[in-house]
């Protein structure tokens, strides 16, 4: 197993801490400021001075570039070679949240508003973004609020629709959407097939090695497994609010928001937002690997670190990094950082 270090974006420099301990434990922390601070803003430039306004999601490209949904700035930002630049800032491109990079390199971004500027529970829009120019074109509009979006190995997009309470598959070439699980408009909890399954605010999702999806079912405090044919089962969590580690069927979460699988190790990482922690699922075991459970900002080793409101997470498996959008939770608090863990 790859040795786990923790590293965070959200300070003023780079501090390296040496490795120690065994290869299966949280052993060290290297802390650096890639960008962001306690000050909200939209300043581009060197990472030490750049600012964000409620970063909510991240996606990592094969070249190590990090794309950030800068929600309250209505922008997509890019972090590359120590610099932050604005990639997308355009009229009626408002409230970006979900993002993913397809196997062919295409960047897709979801906005809560549509391309006429309307924003409500039904105006969620998927855009295709030119990474060279920043030009954004609509793939499909007014489809609810699919804040969870992940590219499948075949180039289609899986969507977790926060307001409609469903999981769907989008063909970005045609705009066709196929609902595979959940009863549209009905929140609840039930395992089952197709519309016989119920979700309550499904958020981030990831694809497993066998093609199944894992979905962060936020208000059910569970991770659900969804086959592409629509069979839904509970993968982790009892549904109770808590922070218990251990066997994944007995573990508890609190408002979990995103989930990502590392294709190199098959480890699963979870942003457990209201517990202010990063959790890891290793086989059948859930463990807390970062955060002490207190809302705030602190650098430190493993559970000595603090987060405010971790939302989206992104994996750079080739270089062994997990990026974290540690924003303000929409409350305007002074937490506007992108952070990083060395895996």
């Amino acid at each position: 197993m790859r040795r786990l270090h923790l590293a965070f974006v959200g300070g003023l420099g780079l501090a390296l801490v040496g490795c120690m301990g065994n290869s299966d434990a949280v052993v060290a922390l290297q802390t650096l400021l890639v960008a962001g601070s306690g000050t909200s803003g939209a300043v581009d430039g060197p990472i030490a001075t750049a600012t964000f306004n409620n970063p909510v999601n991240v996606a990592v490209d094969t070249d190590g570039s990090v794309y950030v949904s800068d929600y309250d700035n209505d922008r997509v930002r890019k972090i590359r070679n120590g610099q932050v630049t604005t990639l997308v800032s355009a009229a009626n491109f408002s409230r970006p949240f979900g993002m993913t990079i397809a196997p062919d390199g295409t960047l897709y971004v979801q906005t809560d508003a549509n391309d006429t500027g309307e924003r409500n529970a039904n105006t969620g829009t998927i855009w295709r973004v030119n990474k060279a120019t920043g030009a954004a074109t609509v793939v499909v509009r007014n489809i609810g609020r699919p804040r969870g979006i992940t590219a499948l190995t075949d180039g289609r997009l899986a969507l977790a629709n926060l307001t409609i309470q469903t999981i769907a598959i989008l063909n970005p070439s045609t705009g066709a959407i196929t609902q595979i699980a959940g009863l549209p408009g009905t929140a609840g909890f039930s395992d089952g097939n197709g519309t016989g399954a119920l979700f309550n605010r499904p958020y981030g999702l990831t694809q497993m090695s066998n093609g199944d999806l894992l979905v962060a079912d936020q208000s059910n405090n569970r991770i659900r497994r969804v086959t592409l044919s629509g069979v839904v089962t509970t993968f982790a969590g009892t549904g109770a609010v808590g922070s218990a580690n251990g066997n994944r069927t007995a573990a508890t979460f609190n408002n979990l928001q995103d989930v990502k699988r590392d294709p190199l190790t098959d480890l699963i990482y979870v942003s457990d937002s209201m517990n202010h922690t990063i959790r890891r699922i290793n086989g059948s075991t859930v463990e807390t690997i970062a955060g002490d459970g207190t809302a705030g900002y602190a650098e430190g080793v493993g559970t000595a670190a603090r987060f405010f409101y971790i939302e989206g997470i992104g994996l750079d498996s080739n270089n062994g990094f997990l990026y974290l959008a540690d924003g303000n939770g929409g409350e305007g608090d002074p937490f506007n950082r992108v952070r990083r863990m060395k895996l």
Side-chain angles (χ1 to χ4, degrees):
M1 181 180 296
R2 182 164 54 202
R3 185 179 300 174
L4 178 66
H5 309 252
L6 301 186
F8 299 83
V9 180
L12 291 177
L14 173 64
L16 298 179
V17 181
C19 301
M20 55 188 176
N22 66 67
S23 61
D24 291 328
V26 176
V27 294
L29 178 71
Q30 66 181 36
T31 303
L32 62 136
L33 176 63
V34 171
S37 69
T39 302
S40 62
V43 177
D44 286 336
I47 56 176
T49 55
T51 54
F52 296 91
N53 192 358
N54 193 24
V56 294
N57 215 340
V58 288
V60 187
D61 213 342
T62 53
D63 66 355
S65 297
V66 180
Y67 297 93
V68 182
S69 290
D70 197 1
Y71 188 78
D72 287 335
N73 276 328
D74 299 325
R75 301 180 180 190
V76 173
R77 314 284 291 282
K78 179 180 178 179
I79 305 171
R80 176 70 177 163
N81 294 330
Q83 297 285 321
V84 176
T85 56
T86 295
L87 178 66
V88 184
S89 178
N92 296 331
F93 184 91
S94 179
R95 298 301 194 262
F97 203 106
M99 56 170 44
T100 191
I101 299 175
D104 66 0
T106 302
L107 173 64
Y108 294 97
V109 179
Q110 173 268 336
T111 57
D112 287 353
N114 65 22
D115 52 327
T116 68
E118 294 180 283
R119 180 162 65 95
N120 57 48
N122 299 311
T123 56
T125 297
I126 306 293
W127 306 71
R128 182 183 291 107
V129 174
N130 185 313
K131 294 184 295 186
T133 67
T137 56
V138 171
V139 176
V140 64
R141 62 176 65 79
N142 298 337
I143 58 171
R145 193 166 284 185
R147 283 182 168 179
I149 171 175
T150 194
L152 305 181
T153 54
D154 63 9
R156 294 181 298 164
L157 306 180
L159 310 176
N161 208 310
L162 180 70
T163 54
I164 297 181
Q165 315 289 350
T166 59
I167 307 303
I169 303 296
L170 166 66
N171 183 335
S173 298
T174 65
I177 295 176
T178 303
Q179 305 286 348
I180 62 171
L183 184 62
T186 303
F189 171 75
S190 178
D191 287 336
N193 298 343
T195 56
L198 296 178
F199 300 88
N200 194 347
R201 292 176 61 87
Y203 239 105
L205 68 172
T206 193
Q207 189 171 33
M208 302 183 74
S209 58
N210 69 350
D212 293 351
L213 302 172
L214 291 183
V215 179
D217 193 5
Q218 187 180 69
S219 292
N220 279 323
N221 298 302
R222 293 175 170 96
I223 298 172
R224 315 287 290 281
R225 182 198 293 263
V226 182
T227 71
L228 296 185
S229 62
V231 179
V232 180
T233 54
T234 296
F235 180 79
T238 66
V241 173
S243 58
N245 290 316
N247 188 281
R248 58 184 168 86
T249 60
T252 54
F253 302 91
N254 187 1
N255 207 64
L256 72 171
Q257 185 135 326
D258 203 1
V259 57
K260 287 290 184 294
R261 182 185 72 91
D262 187 335
L264 297 183
T265 64
D266 219 34
L267 296 172
I268 297 160
Y269 297 92
V270 181
S271 58
D272 198 357
S273 295
M274 293 306 293
N275 277 328
H276 313 290
T277 56
I278 296 294
R279 316 283 289 277
R280 181 176 69 182
I281 303 177
N282 183 358
S284 62
T285 302
V286 177
E287 52 197 344
T288 299
I289 61 170
D292 71 353
T294 303
Y297 172 73
E299 299 167 358
V301 177
T303 54
R306 286 185 178 175
F307 306 95
F308 184 71
Y309 197 84
I310 319 161
E311 299 201 49
I313 56 180
L315 268 166
D316 179 0
S317 294
N318 292 332
N319 295 301
F321 291 120
L322 181 69
Y323 287 86
L324 320 168
D326 192 15
N328 60 41
E331 300 300 322
D333 292 304
F335 299 93
N336 299 284
R337 297 175 173 94
V338 179
R339 307 179 73 178
R340 189 173 78 181
M341 298 173 58
K342 175 64 178 172
L343 304 178

